[in-house]
Amino acid sequence: MTTRQRHIAHLYLHASLAEDQYDDIVELMSGITPHVQAVPPNAVQLDLTSALRYFDLSAYDVVQLAMMRLKALYGIDSSAGLAGNRMLAAMAADASAPGDTTWVPAGQVGDWLYPRPVTALPGIGRATAETLSRYGLHTIGQIVDLPAGTLQRLLGVGPARLLAERVRGRDPRPVTRAEPAEHMVADLVLDRDCLDPSGHHRAVLGLAGQIGQRLRGEGQVARRLALTVRYADHSSTTRTCTLPEPTDHSPAVAATALGLLAALGLQRARVRSYAIRADNLAPASSTYRQLSLDEGDDRARAAEAAADRARRRFGLKAVRPAALAN
């Protein structure tokens, strides 16, 4: 018995989308295949395997159909990756210019994957990359040839096993229609690339403030944050952190987001856009906050509530952190 080959497409949307616009696009993609997974803030993944017979087209042609519908109905340019699993499709999309599609056929995975840098693999952070670099391991192909025991001594058993699967292009995750948890996204797309570390700091601080305001406005708290930075070459990096406790407090959100930014070590990176995603949301009324003997914390929250009232009355820019003042 043979397993049917999967055809997974990852579409990156070159636009800044409101949540209702993004939901409309997910619904549009559902007209091509019922297997659509949202990848906020501006990407979707499609499992085209069952749609090929319906359209009587190749997987590549179905991807072109999806891109044409996005352009015709919403005026949105997109870039796409097509491969046999979600990881490879996302990597291929990162390697595609706007309007282009990078297709990684099943028989060419090794040829396409192995020359690429280790950092191109999703989930490979700076610390892991630096550890591998110290031992002269810079490309994916170099790690493929490494004995499993050696890799485990360098990274530990769990990370080594996961990396060994990824460098061979394996990813068993299915495309699932439903999001595992509710989420909230704030993003910023720049008119020109930003190379200034202080500009990165201001952008992330402003987005963290937006997330905090929306959480409080909707009576929600977040348990996890993710920061995605997209670069001028259309590649991107995402870092995720579980919060010490569920929160809607802007300083706590900002501290975590800025910590994720610092972990990226951007230095002189040419950044085109930023996005903060808050997920694992829960009603604020059903969660508990650790009591503090620090009166400053209570004063900060009281000031935050007053600032929220001022924004509701006079506009979102009525009260801002000093770092964001012109």
Side-chain angles (χ1 to χ4, degrees), residues 172-184:
R173 296 174 300 161
V175 173
T176 55
R177 180 173 177 82
E179 281 291 296
E182 295 183 3
H183 64 274
M184 192 175 288

Side-chain angles (χ1 to χ4, degrees), residues 3 78 88-90 114 117 126 136 138 141 149 158 203-204 209 211 213-214 225 259 314 317:
T3 302
S78 58
L88 289 173
Y114 296 168
R126 183 179 59 175
H138 305 286
V204 172
I211 289 290
Q213 292 170 38
R214 290 176 58 191
L225 283 185
F314 301 108
K317 295 184 178 181

Side-chain angles (χ1 to χ4, degrees), residues 64-227:
Q64 305 315 301
L65 173 64
M67 296 172 70
M68 285 191 291
R69 288 188 178 182
L70 284 169
K71 184 65 173 178
L73 297 177
Y74 292 96
I76 294 176
D77 290 316
S78 58
S79 51
L82 176 63
N85 62 53
R86 291 180 56 191
M87 182 193 76
L88 289 173
M91 293 177 66
D94 281 341
S96 302
D100 290 345
T101 300
T102 299
W103 181 24
V104 185
Q108 300 176 21
V109 170
D111 292 339
W112 185 84
L113 193 61
Y114 296 168
R116 308 185 74 79
V118 175
T119 51
L121 289 169
I124 301 301
R126 183 179 59 175
T128 300
E130 288 178 351
T131 298
L132 296 171
S133 179
R134 284 198 298 270
Y135 292 91
L137 302 170
H138 305 286
T139 67
I140 293 172
Q142 289 174 316
I143 298 175
V144 170
D145 296 332
L146 204 64
T150 302
L151 193 58
Q152 290 177 12
R153 285 194 295 273
L154 294 179
L155 303 178
V157 176
R161 287 177 178 172
L162 179 60
L163 182 58
E165 290 292 303
R166 287 179 172 171
V167 296
R168 289 169 174 79
R170 299 169 186 163
D171 181 8
R173 296 174 300 161
V175 173
T176 55
R177 180 173 177 82
E179 281 291 296
E182 295 183 3
H183 64 274
M184 192 175 288
V185 177
D187 68 325
L188 173 65
V189 180
L190 304 177
D191 294 331
R192 60 181 64 183
D193 302 338
C194 178
L195 291 83
D196 183 11
S198 65
H200 304 326
H201 184 281
R202 285 167 54 88
V204 172
L205 182 62
L207 293 176
Q210 292 178 34
I211 289 290
Q213 292 170 38
R214 290 176 58 191
L215 286 169
R216 294 189 298 276
E218 298 182 16
Q220 304 247 52
V221 292
R223 296 186 178 93
R224 187 171 61 183
L225 283 185
L227 171 66

Side-chain angles (χ1 to χ4, degrees), residues 4 6-10 33-39 44-49 83-89 170-180:
R4 183 168 57 165
R6 293 196 300 165
H7 299 278
I8 309 299
H10 184 107
T33 172
H35 306 290
V36 181
Q37 180 157 341
V39 186
V44 291
Q45 288 191 333
L46 317 177
D47 188 338
L48 304 175
T49 308
N85 62 53
R86 291 180 56 191
M87 182 193 76
L88 289 173
R170 299 169 186 163
D171 181 8
R173 296 174 300 161
V175 173
T176 55
R177 180 173 177 82
E179 281 291 296

Side-chain angles (χ1 to χ4, degrees), residues 226-245:
L227 171 66
T228 298
V229 174
R230 184 164 288 273
Y231 308 104
D233 64 357
H234 307 295
S235 64
S236 63
T237 307
T238 299
R239 292 289 180 271
T240 304
C241 179
T242 299
L243 293 159
E245 64 177 10

